[in-house]
Amino acid sequence: MASFFKRKPAAPAADKASTPAEAPKPRRRDFNELKPDPDKIGISGSVPFVRLPDPASLFSDRAARLDEAAPGHPLEAYLRFVAEVARAQATVQAQVPPPAAPEAGDLALRSEHGMPPLSRHGLEADPAFDACLLALLDAVDLTTAPEASGAARESLRAASREDRLDLALQVFEGALPVDRIAECVFVSATLQVRLAGQAARLDTKILKPVADGVCPCCGGAPVASVVVAWTPADKARYLSCSLCGTYWNHVRIRCTACGSGEGISYYGLDEVSKDVQVETCTTCHSYIKHLHQHRAPTLDPVADDIASYGLDLKIAEEGFRRAGLNLLFVI
């Protein structure tokens, strides 16, 4: 039977040390007073707001992590299938030229109105998106994949260019049609390739926070929360975009869905690595995977979200709903 454990966030230290003669008197503290202690969370100075994706290594590294997690796993067949998709993404990314950067005027206008620079209009104007999708369908090895995957590939090949683009726009906007979920995996994989290529060419200086749980590059939802080990962001917390792969900084112990700093807890399973947990919020009853990449550098948001599916099953029993989104594992 799975053993489920809960860890509450560490309580802040008292303002003054107590003495045997006199204990400190409790005082009420305004929420706005509470600030993270850089020494306690491993951050010195300011950390970068975003880290843009590196398309040249993003998909190959993900495939390697999926291959590592697959042997003996209850979801071994699916992990191996997604590994093949990631390998196809790496192949196509290297072969198809990246999309053009958004025009300066459009970037300035979207920034002025607090909107992310990458939008559905860029996807509609991308002349190579459809060719990239068809190339990915050719590149992916489905020898050992589920039968539904092969049928989905043939269905996409038989569809019109306009239909494939319409499906891509639905996925981009988070409206995945239930009757085409298998096809959405290939479309999502192509979107990730094209958007990672665009995001990688953005100027980080123009990127601004949009809203809780919204990627500042493309407006996508996060797939997971990650505690990183980069310099100078050691042990800082970032969210990883499910679409373009951008990482953006998010305050620790604060809900990624509603922004609340109260009622945050962390859960794990003995059967799942201690470096992969879920962060729950009792304010909005949502949860997101929480990866300690600073302790296990090979952890990948997409791969380890799938590999830790047991956590999703268990936390759903507690009444929490998923706040993140994994486009290669829609549950």
Side-chain angles (χ1 to χ4, degrees):
M1 181 177 293
S3 176
F4 205 34
F5 62 87
K6 175 180 179 181
R7 178 176 67 81
K8 295 287 286 183
D15 293 327
K16 296 181 180 179
S18 60
T19 66
E22 180 181 2
K25 294 181 180 180
R27 74 179 178 89
R28 296 184 63 183
R29 301 183 68 186
D30 183 77
F31 180 73
N32 292 323
E33 278 188 75
L34 302 179
K35 298 180 180 179
D37 183 341
D39 293 330
K40 294 184 183 300
I41 62 176
I43 304 171
S44 58
S46 61
V47 301
F49 170 49
V50 298
R51 180 167 179 171
L52 299 177
D54 179 5
S57 61
L58 176 62
F59 305 112
S60 57
D61 288 350
R62 179 165 297 157
R65 178 57 184 162
L66 287 157
D67 286 336
E68 181 183 12
H73 194 283
L75 294 177
E76 178 174 353
Y78 195 78
L79 289 166
R80 293 195 183 282
F81 162 64
V82 180
E84 293 301 333
V85 172
R87 267 187 281 278
Q89 287 177 296
T91 298
V92 171
Q93 184 278 323
Q95 293 176 346
V96 181
E103 295 183 0
D106 186 47
L107 285 176
L109 183 63
R110 295 184 67 80
S111 177
E112 180 183 348
H113 291 279
M115 302 168 68
L118 305 183
S119 68
R120 61 170 286 160
H121 302 297
L123 173 60
E124 291 173 312
D126 181 3
F129 175 81
D130 196 62
C132 187
L133 172 54
L134 293 175
L136 185 139
L137 295 177
D138 290 339
V140 66
D141 182 358
L142 298 184
T143 304
T144 60
E147 185 176 339
S149 299
R153 177 167 66 178
E154 295 313 309
S155 178
L156 281 171
R157 282 174 170 164
S160 67
R161 179 190 180 99
E162 291 73 21
D163 180 62
R164 289 191 291 264
L165 178 59
D166 181 66
L167 182 56
L169 291 171
Q170 291 182 64
V171 173
F172 184 89
E173 295 178 345
L176 285 69
V178 177
D179 60 335
R180 302 185 72 178
I181 287 296
E183 294 173 58
C184 286
V185 170
F186 298 117
V187 172
S188 298
T190 308
L191 279 172
Q192 289 174 345
V193 171
R194 301 308 282 167
L195 288 169
Q198 278 193 303
R201 302 168 68 190
L202 292 174
D203 181 353
T204 58
K205 296 184 181 66
I206 70 169
L207 300 175
K208 302 175 182 178
V210 177
D212 285 314
V214 178
C215 174
C217 283
C218 72
V223 63
S225 162
V226 184
V227 181
V228 305
W230 316 319
T231 302
D234 185 37
K235 297 185 180 66
R237 180 204 194 170
Y238 285 76
L239 299 182
S240 173
C241 180
S242 57
L243 274 170
C244 71
T246 294
Y247 279 61
W248 72 98
N249 188 234
H250 188 85
V251 176
R252 286 265 206 120
I253 315 178
R254 197 185 84 185
C255 180
T256 64
C258 72
S260 174
E262 301 179 2
I264 302 296
S265 297
Y266 298 88
Y267 291 80
L269 276 174
D270 289 337
E271 291 74 15
V272 175
S273 168
K274 61 181 175 57
D275 298 319
V276 180
Q277 300 173 321
V278 289
E279 178 185 87
T280 63
C281 172
T282 55
T283 300
C284 66
H285 296 283
S286 70
Y287 77 90
I288 192 169
K289 294 289 178 62
H290 190 62
L291 279 55
H292 292 272
Q293 200 180 66
H294 64 112
R295 296 196 301 240
T298 62
L299 289 179
D300 175 83
V302 170
D304 286 278
D305 175 60
I306 300 173
S308 59
Y309 182 48
L311 278 168
D312 294 276
L313 296 175
K314 190 65 178 176
I315 205 66
E317 294 176 1
E318 305 294 322
F320 293 95
R321 60 175 178 79
R322 185 180 175 95
L325 175 65
N326 190 336
L327 289 168
L328 301 188
F329 191 56
V330 181
I331 55 174

